[in-house]
Amino acid sequence: MRILVVDVGGSNVKIMATGEPDQRRLPSGPDMTAAQMAAGVRKLAQGWKYDRVSIGYPGVVVRNRPTTEPHNLGKGWVGFHYEGAFKCPVRIINDAAMQALGGYRGGKMLFLGFGTGLGTTLIADGVVIPMELAHLPYRKATFEDYVGEAALERLGKKKWRKYVHDVVARLTAALEPEDIVLGGGNSRNLTELPPRCRIGANTNAFPGGFRMWDDAAKAQAKAKPRRAAKRARKTTRK
């Protein structure tokens, strides 16, 4: 099984495939539609072999389908025929959840991604629970309004760090995780980590995308001996 992982972000779309040493990327931006993404990724992935696709999507995903349009991209993502565009099976998950899955070590883990916005995911005993906490009320606006990229630019690093620590403390108290992972490009602006936190690599999205097909890979591996035994029985009867 060869998997193409697509990490869709507000600034770039990054891709990597099974057996390939390096990632590739193309610019995204506020006007990028799902069709443009798919066409761009297919072109960017030329020369790579894949028969499955994992997509990390910056929005709400329910039962493998986006249910809301992304805040930082164009329109047309909800209802788009992803499998038709890539001509193979596709699994879609929230982008923060895909990055969280790549850095998961077990138990109950809270992932907070400080990028363009605020991505949030809980993983409990291997079960991925994507959450949309960024737009919940906080102070005079929402969590994202105080710890997203626009807030960093507006408030400056010192005040932004203060709010990050407060947000992490509030969500930790509410969700009681055993492990707290901070990711996203802006996590590097933290000079001191909140208690019990560790930094997760931005590249964790790729191992997370590969892990999304672990169940199918295991099922495929179990099926091979059965098929071989079936062929052997047919040969014996002949």
Side-chain angles (χ1 to χ4, degrees):
M1 182 180 294
R2 300 180 68 87
I3 302 162
L4 174 66
V5 180
V6 182
D7 182 18
V8 181
S11 301
N12 293 284
V13 176
K14 294 170 282 188
I15 68 171
M16 180 174 274
T18 303
E20 298 297 335
D22 300 310
Q23 62 172 266
R24 298 175 181 176
R25 65 175 63 198
L26 72 153
S28 54
D31 298 320
M32 175 175 270
T33 65
Q36 290 170 342
M37 178 279 294
V41 167
R42 290 197 307 269
K43 183 177 180 180
L44 191 63
Q46 284 181 355
W48 288 357
K49 294 181 179 179
Y50 57 91
D51 50 34
R52 300 287 191 279
V53 175
S54 296
I55 298 177
Y57 174 75
V60 180
V61 178
V62 177
R63 299 187 186 279
N64 207 46
R65 307 298 301 178
T67 59
T68 62
E69 297 290 345
H71 290 282
N72 302 306
L73 297 169
K75 303 296 182 181
W77 296 80
V78 175
F80 183 73
H81 189 12
Y82 294 90
E83 293 196 348
F86 287 100
K87 296 179 173 56
C88 67
V90 175
R91 289 186 176 179
I92 306 174
I93 194 172
N94 174 265
D95 58 343
M98 190 165 79
Q99 189 173 351
L101 184 58
Y104 180 63
R105 295 176 181 174
K108 187 179 182 182
M109 185 192 87
L110 173 65
F111 173 84
L112 301 174
F114 298 95
T116 307
L118 172 65
T120 55
T121 297
L122 192 71
I123 303 181
D125 297 327
V127 178
V128 180
I129 308 167
M131 298 182 294
E132 290 292 324
L133 304 180
H135 303 290
L136 290 179
Y138 174 69
R139 293 184 175 267
K140 295 181 179 180
T142 68
F143 284 121
E144 187 168 282
D145 288 316
Y146 284 86
V147 299
E149 190 165 59
L152 176 60
E153 295 173 358
R154 182 182 75 252
L155 300 169
K157 290 183 179 179
K158 186 175 180 180
K159 285 187 177 179
W160 178 83
R161 289 172 185 145
K162 175 185 174 182
Y163 286 123
V164 166
H165 278 253
D166 185 52
V167 167
V168 170
R170 288 169 184 260
L171 295 179
T172 298
L175 299 169
E176 300 182 331
E178 302 164 277
D179 185 19
I180 307 162
V181 178
L182 308 182
N186 287 324
S187 61
R188 65 178 180 270
N189 291 306
L190 294 169
T191 53
E192 181 181 345
L193 294 181
R196 297 165 49 205
C197 290
R198 61 183 172 94
I199 294 291
N202 285 336
T203 53
N204 279 347
F206 294 119
F210 295 131
R211 283 183 175 182
M212 285 168 62
W213 291 93
D214 278 357
D215 60 333
K218 289 176 183 177
Q220 191 178 74
K222 288 180 180 178
K224 285 181 180 179
R226 291 197 294 267
R227 288 197 296 266
K230 188 175 181 179
R231 286 195 297 268
R233 286 196 298 271
K234 287 182 178 179
T235 303
T236 303
R237 292 191 192 104
K238 291 178 181 178

